[in-house]
Amino acid sequence: MRDFSKTARAAAIVATLVIAACATNTVGGDHEGRADVTRFFLTPDVARAAVFVEPLDARDGGGPRFAVIRGAIEDNLRTAGFHPVPTRDAAEVIAVVGLMRAVRPVPVEDRGSHASFGFGGGGGSGRGGVGGGVGVSFPLGHRRSVNRDIAVDTLTLALRRRSDSTVEWEGRAVSEARIERSGDPADRAFFLAHALLSDFPGKTGVTTRFPPRR
């Protein structure tokens, strides 16, 4: 009886999450071409200093794709008042950047065959942060076409003082697009970097839509 009760509770939790996901995980004309942006910082007076851009994963630093991402970040940091430099030793601030793509099914109301849900949490600098995440998806029937899946691109950026590694500012920008229209994730870096840094430093702890609604 005890095991059955645990199973029933677990099933109820999953059912609740799936219902919520079906109601909220939508992608369409209102979301494509936009990004959800979240920032965190200790103070809005972030020093606009010499900055060096490096990858979150050191293995990603040598290829042409990261050169594209670095260029996007540097251009927008420069607009925000920073001075990008070519070497780490010349920098006062280290900009640590990551770009990730995940793929999830089209929502149930569009496809009629899949359900998914996801939620983020933890990580970052210990202040609520922007790192980490959990996603779950499972089939409810036959999929019509994998090309109708949704690409979810996430750009993360942390600005750390080189002297003591203190994180002064961090943020993430997330955009979604149909997989057949998404292109290469590195190409999305320009849009995501602009969304993340356009009104630097932004509002801490608040998720906003970019571009804002008119």
Side-chain angles (χ1 to χ4, degrees):
M1 182 64 68
R2 187 179 308 160
D3 291 341
F4 175 80
S5 178
K6 290 181 179 179
T7 301
R9 283 199 300 270
I13 292 170
V14 169
T16 300
L17 289 171
V18 170
I19 292 170
C22 292
T24 59
N25 282 349
T26 60
V27 169
D30 185 55
H31 198 91
E32 290 187 354
R34 295 179 178 268
D36 290 323
V37 178
T38 311
R39 280 77 65 98
F40 295 91
F41 48 81
L42 295 173
T43 170
D45 299 323
V46 180
R48 273 67 161 180
V51 62
F52 177 75
V53 179
E54 66 181 25
L56 181 64
D57 187 336
R59 295 172 297 181
D60 297 333
R65 292 182 76 255
F66 185 72
V68 173
I69 297 168
R70 173 184 279 133
I73 296 294
E74 287 182 342
D75 285 350
N76 285 277
L77 283 173
R78 189 178 291 109
T79 300
F82 290 84
H83 174 56
V85 293
T87 63
R88 203 177 198 277
D89 290 343
E92 298 174 66
V93 175
I94 306 299
V96 183
V97 59
L99 180 62
M100 180 185 71
R101 168 166 290 181
V103 177
R104 68 174 177 82
V106 170
V108 167
E109 59 269 26
D110 291 348
R111 186 196 297 267
S113 62
H114 258 61
S116 67
F117 62 89
F119 51 93
S125 62
R127 301 188 306 279
V130 296
V134 177
V136 179
S137 64
F138 50 88
L140 298 179
H142 297 292
R143 299 177 65 177
R144 296 178 187 170
S145 170
V146 70
N147 289 331
R148 294 188 64 201
D149 285 349
I150 296 164
V152 183
D153 294 319
T154 302
L155 180 74
T156 62
L157 180 66
L159 301 179
R160 304 175 182 268
R161 288 202 298 259
R162 187 170 71 90
S163 59
D164 58 8
S165 295
T166 297
V167 177
E168 291 196 292
W169 182 98
E170 62 182 339
R172 71 176 174 195
V174 183
S175 70
E176 299 183 355
R178 303 283 186 180
I179 193 71
E180 68 271 19
R181 297 201 291 262
S182 60
D184 188 281
D187 295 334
R188 297 289 292 162
F190 288 91
F191 168 69
L192 291 171
H194 182 50
L196 191 57
L197 294 165
S198 63
D199 60 344
F200 186 88
K203 297 179 180 179
T204 187
V206 176
T207 298
T208 58
R209 179 66 58 86
F210 179 88
R213 297 180 187 276
R214 298 298 182 184

